[in-house]
C-alpha cells in the first residue's frame, strides 16, 4: 500500500512526537500540519521521514487536513492515514490493521477505520456511516473526488460530514474490528462541569455545525439521530453547572443559532457567509 500519514498539531509537546513514532516506520512519509501560532520544527525534526508544515495560525482541522492530503497526493501517495496528535498505535495492532485493509481495498471501499474501544474489538469488519478522523485510512483520489474536508466547518463535525459525503457518492467506510488504536478523548478541565468539557467557543462550533448537518445532509441528520444529540447539548448548556458559566454558554448558543440562520460559517471571529452548498477545492 502506497501509504503516508497526515497528523494535525496544535501546541504539541514531546508526547506528540512519541505518538507519531509509533506509526512512522509503517508509512512512506509523515506529514505534520501545525496549527500552532509558533514554529515547532525542532520537535518535528525528531521524526526522520517527517514533512513539517507550519501554518503559524489556527486554520482549523479541515484546512490542515486538506493541506496535508494535497501535499501527499502531489508527492505520489495513493492512501493517507489521518491522525490526531494524541493518538498512537501498538505495532501488532497497526500490522493487523494494514494487513486487513490490503485485502479489502477497492474502487468502492476507500475509507477504513480501527476501533478505539475494546467493546467493539473482534474479528469481523463492519460497514459504518461515520467515524472520527484519527486512524482513518482513506484513498486520496476519493478524498479529492468528493470535495475534500469541508473547511467552512473549521472544527467539529468535519469528520462526520466528510463520511456522509463519501457515502452519498457511492463509497463505503469499513471498520476493522480486529485492530485497536489508542486514542484519548477530551478530558474535563473543570470539575464543576464534568459533562461540559469544552469552552464556549467550542460549544458554538458544536451547535452551529450540527445545525448545518441538517441543511447539508438531512438524511443522515435524521438517521443518526442528531436531534437527540442537539437537545442533549442544549440542555447541558442551559441547565448544568454554575450560573455565570451557564449564562456565558447560552450566549454562545444564541450566536451559533443566529449564525446558522444567517448562513455564516468559518472561524468564530471571522464568519464567512456561504451562499451555496458546494464542496469545491479550497
Amino acid at each position: 500500500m502506497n501509504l503516508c500519514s497526515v497528523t494535525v498539531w496544535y501546541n504539541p509537546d514531546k508526547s506528540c512526537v512519541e505518538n507519531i513514532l509509533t506509526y512512522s516506520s509503517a508509512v512512506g512519509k509523515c506529514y505534520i500540519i501545525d496549527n500552532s501560532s509558533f514554529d515547532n520544527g525542532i520537535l518535528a525534526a525528531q521524526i526522520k521521514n517527517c514533512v513539517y508544515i507550519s501554518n503559524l495560525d489556527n486554520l482549523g482541522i479541515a484546512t490542515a487536513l486538506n493541506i496535508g492530503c494535497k501535499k501527499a497526493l502531489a508527492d505520489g501517495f495513493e492512501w493517507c492515514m489521518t491522525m490526531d496528535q494524541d493518538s498512537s498505535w501498538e505495532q501488532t495492532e497497526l500490522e493487523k490493521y494494514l494487513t486487513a485493509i490490503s485485502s479489502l481495498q477497492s474502487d468502492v471501499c476507500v475509507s477504513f477505520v480501527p476501533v478505539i474501544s475494546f467493546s467493539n474489538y473482534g474479528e469481523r469488519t463492519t460497514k459504518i456511516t461515520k467515524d472520527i478522523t484519527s486512524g482513518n485510512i482513506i484513498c486520496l483520489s476519493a478524498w479529492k473526488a468528493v470535495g475534500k474536508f469541508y473547511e467552512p466547518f473549521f472544527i467539529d463535525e468535519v469528520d462526520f460530514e466528510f463520511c456522509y459525503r463519501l457515502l452519498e457518492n457511492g463509497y463505503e467506510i469499513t471498520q476493522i474490528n480486529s485492530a485497536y488504536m489508542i486514542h484519548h478523548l477530551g478530558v474535563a478541565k473543570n470539575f464543576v462541569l464534568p459533562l461540559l468539557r469544552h469552552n464556549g467557543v467550542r460549544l458554538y462550533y458544536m451547535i452551529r455545525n450540527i445545525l448545518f448537518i441538517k441543511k447539508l445532509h438531512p438524511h443522515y441528520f435524521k438517521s443518526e439521530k442528531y436531534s437527540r444529540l442537539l437537545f442533549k447539548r442544549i440542555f447541558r448548556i442551559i441547565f448544568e453547572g454554575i450560573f455565570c458559566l451557564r449564562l456565558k454558554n447560552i450566549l454562545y448558543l444564541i450566536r451559533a443559532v443566529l449564525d446558522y440562520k444567517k448562513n455564516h460559517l468559518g472561524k468564530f471571529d471571522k464568519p464567512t457567509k456561504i451562499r451555496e452548498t458546494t464542496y469545491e477545492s479550497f
Side-chain angles (χ1 to χ4, degrees):
M1 179 184 295
N2 187 11
L3 177 68
C4 68
S5 66
V6 171
T7 307
V8 179
W9 273 4
Y10 184 71
N11 299 335
D13 55 25
K14 184 179 178 181
S15 68
C16 298
V17 173
E18 294 170 349
N19 287 337
I20 292 179
L21 289 175
T22 66
Y23 55 86
S24 60
S25 61
V27 299
K29 286 184 180 180
C30 296
Y31 296 93
I32 298 176
I33 315 302
D34 194 351
N35 271 342
S36 308
S37 59
F38 47 88
D39 190 285
N40 291 288
I42 294 178
L43 274 178
Q46 299 176 49
I47 304 164
K48 292 182 180 180
N49 58 340
C50 163
V51 176
Y52 176 73
I53 300 174
S54 177
N55 293 326
L56 298 177
D57 190 15
N58 186 3
L59 303 183
I61 185 72
T63 297
L65 289 171
N66 283 337
I67 290 172
C69 289
K70 182 178 180 180
K71 176 62 175 171
L73 191 61
D75 288 347
F77 286 99
E78 297 175 347
W79 294 84
C80 172
M81 180 168 67
T82 56
M83 295 289 292
D84 289 349
Q85 66 182 22
D86 56 358
S87 298
S88 61
W89 283 96
E90 294 287 346
Q91 184 175 357
T92 55
E93 295 296 320
L94 181 56
E95 288 176 355
K96 286 191 293 184
Y97 186 47
L98 296 179
T99 299
I101 293 173
S102 64
S103 64
L104 293 170
Q105 62 189 42
S106 69
D107 291 340
V108 174
C109 297
V110 298
S111 178
F112 300 89
V113 294
V115 295
I116 59 172
S117 170
F118 277 114
S119 62
N120 296 325
Y121 197 79
E123 294 300 323
R124 298 180 178 179
T125 61
T126 307
K127 299 299 182 184
I128 59 175
T129 57
K130 64 180 182 180
D131 201 76
I132 62 173
T133 299
S134 195
N136 184 5
I137 291 183
I138 184 168
C139 175
L140 287 171
S141 61
W143 160 81
K144 183 178 181 181
V146 302
K148 309 178 184 179
F149 293 99
Y150 193 47
E151 295 184 7
F153 268 12
F154 191 77
I155 192 172
D156 280 305
E157 300 298 327
V158 169
D159 41 12
F160 294 166
E161 192 281 330
F162 181 73
C163 288
Y164 300 150
R165 250 183 305 132
L166 284 176
L167 297 174
E168 289 167 350
N169 282 272
Y171 296 114
E172 294 180 352
I173 305 167
T174 304
Q175 181 172 281
I176 308 298
N177 298 325
S178 59
Y180 173 76
M181 184 187 70
I182 303 168
H183 178 71
H184 300 285
L185 298 175
V187 178
K189 296 182 179 180
N190 189 327
F191 71 94
V192 179
L193 292 171
L195 295 175
L196 288 180
R197 296 189 293 241
H198 308 290
N199 60 30
V201 174
R202 187 67 184 274
L203 291 172
Y204 161 85
Y205 286 122
M206 288 178 174
I207 300 300
R208 185 199 68 180
N209 291 353
I210 285 177
L211 290 171
F212 271 97
I213 288 290
K214 183 178 182 180
K215 182 180 294 186
L216 298 173
H217 307 284
H219 168 74
Y220 291 104
F221 184 89
K222 182 178 180 179
S223 64
E224 298 297 324
K225 300 178 180 179
Y226 271 95
S227 294
R228 182 182 300 178
L229 175 61
L230 190 60
F231 174 79
K232 287 181 178 179
R233 288 185 173 172
I234 292 175
F235 181 88
R236 291 173 178 177
I237 289 172
I238 296 175
F239 295 108
E240 293 181 355
I242 56 178
F243 176 76
C244 60
L245 195 53
R246 292 206 316 265
L247 180 60
K248 180 180 179 181
N249 288 335
I250 288 171
L251 294 176
Y252 282 106
L253 168 61
I254 293 172
R255 171 71 181 272
V257 174
L258 289 176
D259 280 358
Y260 166 71
K261 289 184 176 296
K262 295 175 182 177
N263 221 28
H264 282 172
L265 280 169
K267 195 172 182 179
F268 173 75
D269 59 346
K270 297 177 182 179
T272 302
K273 188 168 184 178
I274 307 300
R275 297 182 181 276
E276 298 178 358
T277 304
T278 57
Y279 301 96
E280 300 173 351
S281 299
F282 298 107

